[in-house]
Amino acid sequence: MNDLHTWLSQQHHGLRTFRTFQQKLETLGRDDPAQRGLCRLLSGLVGSYVEAFHEAPLPVEIADGAYRRLLTLVESIDLNADANRRLADINRVAESELWR
């Protein structure tokens, strides 16, 4: 996730960044099957945000907040942690929302 966090931290908060992030998650999940479940959860989280604002005006304050929450969430994930920490990370992603 460090590479994803580094990449994400250098991006704009627009929907294109979120779509590209989904593509990167798909690649990571395909290349590292041990991360597939977490990648799908993150992709679903990002996907629901993208769908909600697809072809709709995206207020800057919502975009900024969603971007910051995603950045913080990705930063908090430890792919090399023990099983308990990994489960906690997965559960945190599963209950997260990027906006609302």
Side-chain angles (χ1 to χ4, degrees):
M1 282 294 154
N2 286 341
D3 290 342
L4 283 176
H5 180 267
T6 299
W7 175 85
L8 186 60
S9 69
Q10 299 168 357
Q11 303 304 308
H12 185 267
H13 62 242
L15 288 180
R16 181 174 294 152
T17 295
F18 288 81
R19 286 185 196 108
T20 303
F21 186 72
Q22 280 186 291
Q23 293 168 347
K24 290 183 173 293
L25 288 169
E26 183 179 317
T27 299
L28 176 61
R30 186 177 52 244
D31 293 348
D32 189 352
Q35 310 309 331
R36 192 169 289 146
L38 181 60
C39 288
R40 285 202 179 187
L41 279 174
L42 278 168
S43 184
L45 176 68
V46 170
S48 66
Y49 172 73
V50 170
E51 286 178 26
F53 293 100
H54 178 70
E55 296 186 18
L58 178 57
V60 173
E61 61 276 357
I62 290 176
D64 284 343
Y67 175 78
R68 281 193 312 275
R69 283 187 282 287
L70 180 60
L71 194 59
T72 300
L73 184 61
V74 171
E75 182 179 35
S76 73
I77 296 170
D78 184 355
L79 297 180
N80 298 312
D82 65 19
N84 288 332
R85 168 65 193 271
R86 299 247 337 177
L87 183 57
D89 287 345
I90 289 168
N91 285 332
R92 192 172 53 259
V93 170
E95 64 188 19
S96 295
E97 291 184 354
L98 294 181
W99 87 105
R100 290 192 193 146

